[in-house]
């Protein structure tokens, strides 16, 4: 065999690998271009300083959801997880800075517990991820109400300073998000654990065949996701002066949307943390843009839905479409053949 | 992209195939000289010049066969000879690229499973298209034409079908409790029932014991006598002599010859089956024999028993036999992936299955399913089981990884554009080499290669043989399973031949020859032991049967509801007041209707996240038309609009899922967000009061019972009845149960899915009408929470999220219980905390209980 025949697959593979990233980056650049032309106010320093921390929070929540989706799961307990850490961080200290650290520790402990239960139910008891996390979400909300009674309380000064303050002209929340993103990327690409985690998500059967512990890694996804939601909740508690007990509700759907826009398949597989993070920026900026050009708040969700639909459309027309679909068809027939012969 | 994939060029190989073709075509012309006018019975089915290619690889080349009425015509050949492809072409499942099919003298183009059935072609698959979630009776009714049952008692018709094949299982038993053999008989019964003109039986006796086989043969003879043309696919010469009049032999997708069974000897048939020309060279076999380094003593497991063999250092052991005789299970057991009993000794040390997983490198036959993570790069795949070797403190050292992996790739001659190429961009042979690279990097104690050259081109085969031989020479035992006897002859030093899970022959040295292997495999007379076969539990008694039905949840749900009501009543006597009962029922009606819609989506194996926002959106739409002072026509228009919009939403959901390859979650999630936006566009704050008279009508109560609730119950009962007793119900459940089997029995999958999502939206309209009366105003913020509530209610009701099983009645009960619990919390004076805790605990407990009960009910296979 000569070297020539192998040139084509190279193009295919490069193309396929970069697709999620390229799509989301181009979309974001186009959006920023639109903002500069039609709504410069939406990219002005003041507007960005106000909106970026919320993009950062969405980014963190999205990364958590991504870990679960990578393992072929789905986490509906985002809302509960975020809301719980919000109320724990505001109600427990009740304005007293000295109580903040214990409150944060309690919040993380609760997050680990919630994640472990989710992981056990999905990974070991093999419950459907949607059912398990709906149930868990309700239970977490039970705790939220037990702690807060549903009444908002003012955040402590220290938390407001740490989470809501600025360093080097950028909101601290953004720095936290960047740090979490960096750790995620490093862990995923450079550590043994991350490599195994990706391989298990990409093909759990193959991973089991080489002796990897599939269930434990699936459980870890839920635990880490809760830790991420908890961190996001703490940031919200710091940024918002008087956060409500339902702060997490509005994050559930966007968390899934950024994962999908980032190119991670809802059927599981490789996760794209950087693309997910950029998708969070994109979605946030899209709202800012719509707001600045005078689209009423109401219509913004339609734009988000269209962006999401378009995103999914683009990804489903990539590998699993033409090439993949034909492949799948013939594979399916071949499989039949193999089974039947 | 497709053309790129296809052009993936192996020019030299294509050329070689062309030559191959020429040689064999001559060959087959010479052998195919039997005229068929000698026998009575006219030609019913004529295949002329049939060719079928997968990508570039021919599965069938220029096959022409005539099948006569009233004759049993056996198709003989090794695995991969093209028998199944031929059968699937006749059944309309696969379309040939070249060639014509003539049925009863007329040329049939575009044969599909439905048209084949209409012509009177029936097929019994070796892997039965039986739907596990449906009962035996329902399986018969969904896959057989309704005319068969017309005017007669369906149970009597079904019982007659079972009697004909000697199957003794209760008609109402769920099919997942049937054994493989029983499913096989049911499948054959289905095929016989339509009194077909052409009956295809694919390896029908593979899982049958002697009695069942005899009964089957009697049936086949009767059917043939009545004029049916029977196409009988088999591997076994002995069976052929018992049942068939004519035989056609396929090899490498070509016809090798046809003959009357009475006029052809076993030797001649064997000669036609074997003699495959191997396109690639084999490395020399082991010369000196070392000591035994791998021994297996009376190993038993699923589908195989009492297997013993030993392998000397440097030897490659082959496992042969007709596919499906326990070889692949044995391979999995040797790799530690399946439980087994017996002894496995590697270099003198006994290994448990747990040790085997870590010691053995398994090369699965289905590389895509189990071998490689196709979404990852070849470097990531190759390195995955050896990461510990090139990392420190849990961090992978990139340089070390690259060095090791590229060394491995070099020594195995993996041809890939780069280390970062996606696995799926490689050819089958190179993918297999990536699997081998992964194995060699992990320093295995043992190599278990299941069909190592399946889907691998000729050039790469030789290299794979060379690599296996090199590994073996290093002292690592290599076990190869292959359905290709010629491959085993060339590669192995010792071969065990399996039949029905047992070793029937052990061949060593010069005896390792293709004809010996094939003769042992096809000549074996072993039959499945009787006790393996008839151990189904007769779940006939009424109560035990009821516990296994989808509606079993109704009892515990009702009990819990009554107990809860009584408990709350003792705490607060107003709880059972007519007002409160009416209130609970009214609230439950809205949720109940939406839950019915969600049930349809879940039975299909999907999910509909858009139901909640859809209900809210429809209320907002209604708030523009159904107002006080509007003319009746405008109000009616409003209602019509609600139904029309819902149908559009359902269609979009269904079409996105079926034709744009969106997952159900993704499609309905986008719809969720979009509908919420639409609600807010129409109204950014609550407005548009609903007509008071209309509200009064909708909330009309007789005593404590709202009429709407009675309507809900009636609709649920009717839907439940249809789900069990009508064609649409079976189709819905069959599609959700197993899409592939449903396709094979000729159901229109896409149409069922789209109709299902439309039905889900239509039920939601009814829920929206109730919601409209409750809120009394168009509020864009309402409705969304019905999505999660509906899923909770449906899961409480006992519908499985895996699809195929569901209950409408259960969903209504689930909605009722959920509403009752939320209402009880406020009557007991408990805080909101308990509302959430009860909700969460209920759904988790229900899911846990139901999944345990189901696991227990299903028969172990």
């Amino acid at each position: 065999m000569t070297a020539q025949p192998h040139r084509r697959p190279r193009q295919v593979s490069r193309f396929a690998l970069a697709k999620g990233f390229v799509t989301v980056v181009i979309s974001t650049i186009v959006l920023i271009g639109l903002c500069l032309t039609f709504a410069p106010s939406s990219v002005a320093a003041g507007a960005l300083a106000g909106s970026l921390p919320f993009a950062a929070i969405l980014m963190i929540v999205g990364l958590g959801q991504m870990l679960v989706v990578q393992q072929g799961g789905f986490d509906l307990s985002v809302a509960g997880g975020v809301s719980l850490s919000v109320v724990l961080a505001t109600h427990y200290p009740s304005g007293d800075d000295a109580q903040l650290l214990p409150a944060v520790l309690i919040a993380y402990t609760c997050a680990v517990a919630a994640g472990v239960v989710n992981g056990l139910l999905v990974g070991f008891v093999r419950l459907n991820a949607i059912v398990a996390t709906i149930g868990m979400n309700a239970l977490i909300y039970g705790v939220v109400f037990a702690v807060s009674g549903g009444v908002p309380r003012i955040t402590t000064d220290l938390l407001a300073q740490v989470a809501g303050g600025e360093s080097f002209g950028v909101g601290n929340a953004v720095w936290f998000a960047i740090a979490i993103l960096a750790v995620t990327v490093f862990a995923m690409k450079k550590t043994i654990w991350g490599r195994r985690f990706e391989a298990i998500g990409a093909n759990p059967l193959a991973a089991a065949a080489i002796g990897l512990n599939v269930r434990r890694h699936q459980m870890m996804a839920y635990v880490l996701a809760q830790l991420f939601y908890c961190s996001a909740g703490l940031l919200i508690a710091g940024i918002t002066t008087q956060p409500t007990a339902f702060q997490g509700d509005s994050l559930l759907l966007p968390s899934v949307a950024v994962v999908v826009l980032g190119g991670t398949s809802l059927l599981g597989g490789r996760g794209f943390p950087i693309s997910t993070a950029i998708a969070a920026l994109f979605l946030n900026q899209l709202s800012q843009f719509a707001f600045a050009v005078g689209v009423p708040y109401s219509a913004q969700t339609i734009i988000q839905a269209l962006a999401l639909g378009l995103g999914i459309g683009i990804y489903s027309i990539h590998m699993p479409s033409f090439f993949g679909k034909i492949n799948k068809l013939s594979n399916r027939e071949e499989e039949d053949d193999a089974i039947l012969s | 992209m497709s053309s790129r994939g296809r052009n993936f060029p192996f020019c030299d190989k294509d050329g070689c195939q062309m030559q191959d073709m020429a040689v064999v075509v001559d060959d087959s012309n010479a052998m195919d000289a039997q005229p068929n006018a000698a026998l009575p019975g006219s030609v019913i089915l004529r295949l002329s010049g049939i060719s079928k290619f997968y990508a570039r690889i021919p599965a069938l080349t220029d096959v022409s066969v005539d099948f006569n009425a009233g004759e049993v015509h056996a198709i003989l050949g090794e695995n991969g000879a093209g028998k199944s492809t031929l059968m699937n072409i006749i059944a309309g499942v696969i379309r040939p690229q070249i060639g014509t099919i003539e049925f009863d003298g007329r040329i049939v183009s575009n044969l599909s499973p439905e048209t084949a059935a209409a012509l009177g072609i029936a097929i019994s698959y070796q892997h039965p298209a039986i739907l596990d979630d449906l009962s035996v009776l329902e399986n018969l009714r969904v896959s057989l034409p309704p005319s068969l049952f017309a005017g007669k008692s369906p149970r009597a018709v079904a019982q007659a079908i079972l009697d004909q094949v000697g199957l003794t299982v209760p008609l109402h038993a769920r099919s997942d409790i049937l054994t493989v053999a029983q499913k096989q008989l049911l499948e054959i019964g289905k095929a016989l029932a339509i009194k077909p003109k052409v009956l295809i039986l694919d390896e029908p006796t593979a899982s049958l014991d002697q009695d069942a086989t005899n009964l089957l043969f009697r049936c086949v003879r009767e059917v043939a006598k009545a004029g049916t043309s029977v196409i009988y696919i088999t591997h076994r010469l002995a069976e052929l002599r018992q049942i068939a009049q004519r035989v056609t032999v396929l090899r490498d997708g070509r016809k090798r010859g046809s003959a009357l069974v009475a006029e052809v000897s076993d030797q001649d048939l064997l000669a036609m089956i074997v003699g495959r020309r191997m396109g690639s060279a084999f490395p020399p076999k082991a010369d000196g024999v070392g000591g035994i380094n791998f021994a297996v003593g009376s190993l038993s497991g699923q589908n195989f028993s009492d297997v013993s063999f030993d392998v000397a250092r440097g030897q490659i052991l082959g496992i042969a036999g007709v596919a499906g005789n326990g070889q692949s299970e044995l391979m999995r057991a040797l790799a530690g992936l399946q439980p087994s009993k017996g002894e496995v000794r590697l270099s003198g040390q006994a290994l448990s299955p747990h040790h085997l997983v870590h010691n053995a490198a398994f090369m699965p036959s289905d590389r895509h399913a189990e071998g490689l993570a196709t979404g990852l790069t070849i470097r990531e795949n190759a390195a995955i089981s050896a990461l510990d070797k090139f990392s420190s403190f849990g961090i992978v050292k990139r340089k070390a990884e690259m060095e090791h992996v590229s060394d491995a790739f070099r020594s195995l001659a993996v041809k890939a554009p780069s280390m970062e190429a996606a696995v799926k961009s490689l050819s089958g042979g190179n993918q297999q080499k990536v699997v081998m690279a992964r194995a060699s990097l992990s320093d295995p104690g043992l190599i278990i290669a299941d069909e190592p050259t399946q889907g691998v081109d000729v050039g790469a085969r030789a290299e794979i043989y060379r690599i296996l031989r090199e590994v073996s020479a290093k002292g690592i035992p290599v076990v190869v399973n292959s359905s290709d006897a010629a491959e085993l002859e060339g590669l192995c030093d010792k071969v065990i031949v399996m039949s029905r899970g047992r070793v029937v022959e052990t061949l060593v040295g010069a005896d390792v020859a293709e004809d010996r292997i094939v003769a042992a495999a096809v000549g074996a007379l072993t039959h499945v032991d009787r006790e393996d076969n008839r151990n189904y539990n007769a779940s006939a008694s009424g109560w035990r049967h009821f516990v296994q039905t989808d509606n079993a949840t109704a009892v515990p749900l009702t009990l819990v509801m009554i107990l809860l009501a009584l408990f709350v009543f003792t705490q607060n006597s107003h709880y059972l007041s007519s007002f409160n009962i009416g209130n609970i029922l009214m609230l439950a009606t809205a949720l109940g209707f939406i839950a019915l819609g969600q049930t349809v989506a879940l039975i299909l194996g999907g999910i509909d996240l858009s139901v909640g926002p859809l209900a809210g959106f429809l209320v907002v739409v209604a708030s523009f038309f159904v107002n006080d002072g509007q003319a009746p026509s405008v109000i009616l228009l409003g209602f019509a609009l609600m139904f029309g919009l819902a149908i559009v939403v359902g269609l979009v959901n269904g079409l996105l899922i079926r034709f744009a390859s969106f997952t159900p979650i993704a499609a309905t999630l986008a719809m969720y967000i979009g509908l919420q936006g639409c609600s807010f566009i129409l109204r950014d704050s609550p407005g548009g009061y609903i007509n008071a008279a209309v509200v009064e009508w909708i909330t009309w109560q007789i005593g404590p019972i709202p009429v709407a609730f009675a309507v809900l119950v009636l609709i649920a009962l009717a839907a439940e009845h249809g789900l069990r007793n009508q064609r649409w119900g079976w189709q819905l459940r069959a599609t959700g149960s197993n899409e592939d089997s449903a396709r094979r029995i000729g159901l229109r999958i896409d149409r069922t899915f789209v109709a299902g999502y439309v039905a889900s939206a239509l039920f939601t309209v009814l829920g929206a009408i109730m919601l409209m009366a409750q809120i009394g105003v168009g509020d864009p913020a309402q409705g969304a929470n019905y999505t999660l509530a509906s899923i909770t209610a449906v899961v409480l009701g006992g519908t499985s999220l895996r699809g195929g099983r569901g209950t409408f009645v259960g969903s209504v009960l689930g909605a009722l219980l959920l509403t009752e619990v939320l209402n009880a919390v406020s009557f007991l004076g408990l805080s909101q905390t308990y509302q959430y805790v009860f909700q969460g605990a209920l759904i988790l407990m229900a899911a846990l209980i139901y999944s345990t009960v189901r696991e227990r009910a299903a028969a172990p296979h």
Side-chain angles (χ1 to χ4, degrees):
Chain A
M1 260 182 255
T2 57
Q4 203 183 356
H6 294 292
R7 256 184 217 155
R8 282 176 186 180
R10 174 194 295 248
Q11 290 164 356
V12 173
S13 65
R14 283 281 155 83
F15 184 57
L17 269 181
K19 181 130 189 172
F21 182 72
V22 168
T23 313
V24 73
V25 167
I26 290 180
S27 315
T28 311
I29 291 172
V30 169
L31 179 65
I32 291 173
L34 286 173
C35 288
L36 287 170
T37 329
F38 297 105
S41 68
S42 71
V43 279
L48 283 183
S51 78
L52 276 183
F54 290 97
I57 286 162
L58 178 56
M59 195 185 283
I60 298 170
V61 174
L63 287 174
Q65 184 73 264
M66 183 196 77
L67 294 176
V68 174
V69 168
Q70 258 192 285
Q71 299 297 330
F74 200 72
D75 197 347
L76 290 171
S77 62
V78 173
V82 171
S83 301
L84 180 60
S85 79
V86 167
V87 297
L88 284 175
T90 50
H91 276 262
Y92 184 78
S94 187
D96 178 6
D97 284 345
Q99 297 292 318
L100 183 62
L101 187 64
V104 169
L105 291 179
I106 291 171
Y108 277 110
T109 313
C110 288
V112 170
V116 166
V117 176
N118 267 337
L120 284 175
L121 289 174
V122 178
F124 289 84
V125 190
R126 313 309 282 172
L127 280 194
N128 181 291
I130 292 177
V131 173
T133 53
I134 283 183
M136 200 55 210
N137 190 52
L139 289 181
I140 299 175
Y141 259 119
V143 180
V144 168
F145 275 89
V147 172
S148 69
V151 193
R153 203 172 272 189
I154 292 171
T155 188
T156 71
D157 294 338
L158 180 61
L159 187 58
Q161 211 179 325
V162 173
E166 283 190 5
S167 310
F168 311 104
V170 178
N172 285 345
V174 179
W175 293 118
F176 279 114
I178 291 173
I180 288 176
L181 175 64
V183 171
T184 308
V185 173
F186 178 81
M188 200 73 86
K189 303 291 168 196
K190 293 288 172 195
T191 66
I192 295 185
W193 180 86
R195 292 281 295 274
R196 288 182 179 158
F197 185 83
E198 275 204 323
I200 290 170
N203 189 342
L205 281 178
I210 56 173
L212 297 184
N213 192 330
V214 174
R215 294 177 171 197
R216 204 171 58 204
H217 284 83
Q218 284 177 344
M219 184 169 110
M220 276 307 286
Y222 286 91
V223 175
L224 289 172
Q226 282 295 338
L227 289 176
F228 281 34
Y229 307 151
C230 180
S231 311
L234 294 176
L235 291 178
I236 294 176
I239 293 169
T240 324
T241 42
Q242 203 167 345
T244 72
F246 297 100
Q247 210 72 40
D249 282 1
S250 57
L251 282 168
L252 171 59
L253 295 177
S255 79
V256 181
V258 296
V259 171
V260 172
L261 284 174
T264 306
S265 163
L266 284 175
L267 300 172
R270 191 196 285 279
F272 298 94
I274 295 180
S275 304
T276 303
I278 299 173
L281 286 178
F282 171 80
L283 216 55
N284 186 64
Q285 193 57 36
L286 193 64
S287 300
Q288 295 299 312
F289 173 66
F291 181 69
V293 295
V295 177
Y297 166 76
S298 50
Q300 291 188 17
T301 54
I302 297 190
I303 296 177
Q304 285 185 5
L306 286 178
L308 179 62
L310 219 63
I312 305 169
I314 289 171
Y315 296 126
S316 31
I317 296 174
H318 106 267
M319 301 162 287
S321 184
F322 304 119
F323 180 74
K325 206 160 199 174
I326 286 160
N327 234 356
K328 206 165 82 188
L329 281 179
S330 59
N331 272 349
R332 193 194 294 166
E333 286 175 2
E334 275 167 30
E335 265 166 37
D336 280 356
D337 209 13
I339 290 166
L340 296 167
S341 58
Chain B
M1 270 197 191
S2 70
S3 65
R4 268 186 207 167
R6 286 206 177 159
N7 283 349
F8 208 82
F10 294 100
C11 318
D12 41 355
K13 197 198 133 220
D14 273 6
C16 139
Q17 271 176 354
M18 293 301 285
Q19 277 181 355
D20 226 350
M21 203 181 291
V23 172
V24 186
V25 165
D26 283 353
D27 210 340
S28 83
N29 284 347
M31 299 205 64
D32 182 25
Q34 293 277 351
N36 52 16
L39 266 169
S42 53
V43 175
I44 179 99
L45 179 70
R46 170 170 288 157
L47 306 179
S48 322
I50 299 283
S51 294
K52 170 74 190 172
F53 302 87
Y54 288 115
R56 324 164 306 283
I57 300 159
L60 279 181
T61 315
D62 193 28
V63 172
S64 303
V65 199
D66 288 353
F67 297 100
N68 297 334
E71 194 177 78
V72 179
H73 190 142
I75 306 279
L76 199 63
E78 282 191 286
N79 293 307
K83 303 187 302 287
S84 292
T85 311
L86 188 70
M87 179 194 71
N88 277 316
I89 285 172
I90 300 172
V93 177
I94 296 175
R95 282 187 195 165
Q97 275 105 345
I98 310 171
T100 55
I101 302 168
E102 256 178 81
F103 189 86
D104 230 354
R106 280 185 307 121
I107 291 186
V108 195
S109 47
N110 290 335
L111 196 64
S112 68
E114 296 101 85
T115 53
L119 287 172
I121 299 174
I123 180 162
S124 156
Y125 290 98
Q126 187 191 354
H127 290 263
I130 301 290
L131 297 148
D132 276 353
D133 292 315
L134 273 61
S135 73
V136 172
L137 179 61
E138 288 166 338
N139 260 297
L140 290 172
R141 297 204 67 182
V142 73
S143 38
L144 295 174
S147 56
L148 215 65
F149 296 91
K152 284 170 255 174
S153 151
R155 298 186 67 87
V157 176
Q159 195 57 55
I161 293 172
L162 298 195
D163 291 345
Q164 192 181 5
V165 291
L167 184 58
T168 49
V169 291
L171 282 172
H172 60 240
R174 209 198 284 276
S175 306
D176 63 354
I177 69 160
L178 302 190
T179 63
V180 179
Q182 287 169 335
K183 284 184 187 171
Q184 187 70 58
L185 287 173
L186 185 58
E187 176 83 357
I188 295 167
K190 267 165 43 183
L192 288 174
I194 62 167
K195 311 233 168 353
K197 289 187 180 143
V198 174
L199 171 65
I200 308 167
L201 297 172
D202 183 11
E203 297 266 353
T205 60
S207 54
L208 299 186
D209 62 19
Q210 189 60 52
D211 287 352
T213 306
N214 290 341
L215 182 68
L216 172 71
F217 282 176
R218 251 198 331 271
C219 284
V220 169
R221 285 189 200 107
E222 275 168 30
V223 170
K225 207 190 253 172
T228 299
S229 167
V230 180
I231 305 175
Y232 191 97
I233 292 167
T234 186
H235 279 104
R236 294 165 199 278
L237 289 177
E239 275 184 19
L240 181 91
R241 299 247 171 240
Q242 277 178 276
I243 191 77
Q245 283 93 51
R246 191 179 289 275
V247 56
T248 294
V249 181
L250 292 180
R251 190 172 85 199
D252 290 344
R254 289 156 214 277
K255 182 171 155 186
R256 300 294 305 167
S258 270
L260 287 171
V261 173
E263 294 172 3
V264 66
S265 69
D266 279 6
Q267 278 76 14
D268 289 347
L269 282 176
L270 267 179
M272 280 194 257
I273 301 171
V274 302
R276 231 166 76 70
R277 234 188 53 183
M278 293 302 290
S280 46
F282 290 98
K285 298 202 178 185
D287 34 12
V289 174
I292 301 294
N293 67 350
F294 183 58
V296 168
S298 44
L299 195 70
S300 299
Q302 193 197 341
N303 280 352
F304 66 90
S305 55
D306 199 20
V307 172
S308 302
F309 59 81
D310 48 43
V311 191
R313 192 185 154 86
Q315 282 191 332
I316 295 181
L317 178 90
I319 296 178
V322 172
N325 277 277
Q327 302 96 310
S328 53
E329 289 84 358
L330 173 63
M331 297 299 276
R332 300 184 69 80
L334 289 177
L337 298 174
Q338 261 182 19
S340 58
K341 274 188 220 128
E343 201 183 39
V344 179
R345 283 187 172 274
L346 181 61
S347 313
Q349 216 177 1
L351 294 179
S352 69
H354 176 73
H355 287 110
L356 279 172
V357 176
H358 294 281
N359 260 299
F362 180 54
M363 294 168 54
S365 58
D366 188 344
R367 282 185 296 276
H368 289 270
E370 227 183 348
L372 293 164
T374 42
L376 302 185
T377 68
I378 58 171
R379 168 183 59 84
E380 288 168 321
N381 268 290
I384 187 68
S385 45
L387 288 174
D388 290 318
K389 266 207 301 194
F390 19 81
S391 41
S392 45
F393 306 109
I395 294 163
V396 181
K397 287 181 287 188
R398 189 172 172 80
K399 215 177 138 199
E401 180 189 353
M402 293 299 258
E403 276 169 13
H404 278 93
V405 174
S406 56
D407 277 354
F409 281 179
R410 209 172 302 125
S411 73
L412 300 185
V414 177
K415 296 188 185 69
S418 81
M419 299 269 280
E420 305 305 319
V423 159
K424 57 175 157 287
S425 68
L426 299 192
S427 67
N430 280 307
Q431 288 183 359
Q432 188 66 290
K433 287 191 203 162
V434 173
V435 175
M436 297 175 104
R438 184 183 73 200
S440 77
L441 279 168
S442 69
D443 295 329
L446 175 66
I447 301 249
I448 305 293
D450 195 2
E451 301 283 358
T453 59
Q454 190 165 294
V456 169
D457 54 89
V458 179
R461 281 183 183 199
E463 292 183 44
I464 287 173
Y465 299 142
R466 174 184 62 80
I467 296 161
L468 287 174
R469 184 49 78 182
E470 280 172 12
V471 171
S472 166
K474 277 186 214 153
I476 300 170
V478 175
V479 179
V480 176
N481 172 40
S482 173
S483 52
D484 184 343
E487 175 172 281
L488 292 174
E489 174 188 326
L491 180 65
C492 302
D493 306 287
K494 184 175 191 175
V495 169
I496 61 171
V497 184
M498 292 185 68
S499 178
R500 316 267 195 199
R502 292 170 190 280
V503 176
V504 290
E505 183 87 85
T506 303
L507 302 165
V508 197
D511 289 342
V512 179
E514 190 191 1
D515 52 350
R516 292 287 305 266
I517 296 171
V518 174
V522 302
L525 284 167
T526 47
H527 272 282
V528 180
D529 293 345
R530 181 177 296 210
E531 58 272 18
D532 290 355
N533 220 339
R534 297 284 166 94
N535 61 351
Y536 70 92
N537 59 4
S539 55
S541 72
W543 176 249
R544 282 195 60 191
H545 167 63
F546 176 74
V547 171
Q548 289 175 9
T549 63
D550 293 337
N551 285 321
T553 51
V555 173
L557 286 175
T558 315
L559 273 179
V560 170
M561 260 188 279
I562 292 173
L563 288 177
L564 179 65
L566 289 177
F567 173 72
V568 183
F569 182 62
T570 60
Q571 308 290 312
N572 186 333
S573 58
H574 293 296
Y575 185 70
L576 288 182
S577 68
S578 159
F579 172 78
N580 193 44
I581 290 178
N583 185 29
I584 292 179
L585 294 182
M586 195 68 82
L587 286 171
T589 308
L591 179 57
F593 275 122
I594 298 175
L596 290 185
Q598 189 69 261
T599 311
V600 178
L602 292 188
I603 290 177
L604 279 171
I607 196 164
D608 192 347
L609 298 178
S610 68
V611 286
L614 175 61
F617 170 69
L618 293 175
V619 173
V620 171
V621 170
S623 72
F624 287 93
F625 298 89
V626 191
N627 309 117
D628 285 321
Q630 293 278 25
S633 57
V634 176
I635 290 180
L636 280 180
L637 176 70
F639 280 108
L641 206 57
M642 288 170 83
F643 280 97
L645 287 170
I647 290 174
V648 171
V649 167
L651 277 177
V652 171
N653 278 337
L655 294 174
L656 282 179
I657 292 166
R658 289 314 290 179
F659 297 100
S661 49
F662 279 45
T663 62
I665 289 181
T668 55
L669 178 67
M671 187 57 86
Y672 181 116
I673 303 176
L675 283 172
Q676 259 191 335
C678 291
S679 297
F680 275 99
I681 283 191
L682 293 180
R683 289 200 185 276
D684 50 11
S685 61
Y689 289 90
I690 304 296
N691 184 304
V694 170
V695 171
E696 214 164 294
W697 268 99
I698 298 172
T699 55
W700 178 34
Q701 283 189 354
I702 300 178
I705 312 288
V707 172
F709 180 74
V711 172
L712 167 72
V713 171
L714 285 179
I715 290 183
L717 286 173
E720 186 69 35
H721 180 80
L723 190 66
R724 313 273 156 223
N725 298 299
Q726 278 177 342
R727 208 165 172 76
W728 66 260
W730 303 320
Q731 285 181 351
L732 190 69
R733 284 159 58 213
T735 307
S737 179
N738 186 332
E739 204 183 309
D740 187 55
S741 294
R743 188 166 51 90
R744 284 198 285 161
I745 61 173
L747 300 186
R748 305 221 173 138
I749 309 291
D750 289 331
R751 213 168 58 174
T752 309
F753 263 101
V754 175
Y757 278 91
V758 171
S760 167
L762 286 176
F763 277 124
T764 307
V765 182
L766 301 179
I769 292 174
M770 296 309 299
L771 194 60
M772 173 177 88
Q774 272 165 33
I775 316 172
V777 69
D779 182 350
Q782 294 286 340
N785 49 1
Y786 274 91
T787 293
L788 293 192
S790 71
I791 297 174
T792 309
V794 175
V795 170
L796 274 180
T799 296
S800 149
L801 265 79
R802 285 189 200 143
R805 291 191 192 187
T807 151
F808 289 114
V809 169
S811 298
V812 169
L813 290 173
L816 208 53
L817 177 58
L818 192 61
T819 317
E820 190 192 349
V821 166
L822 298 186
N823 179 276
V825 167
S826 53
F827 263 83
L828 292 173
L830 298 173
S831 69
Q832 239 182 324
T833 306
Y834 289 91
Q835 225 175 47
Y836 284 101
V837 170
F838 284 151
Q839 243 185 72
L842 261 183
I843 187 173
L844 288 182
M845 270 163 52
L848 283 172
I849 293 170
Y850 297 158
S851 74
T852 344
V853 169
R854 261 171 213 147
E855 266 168 32
R856 291 233 177 119
H861 284 305

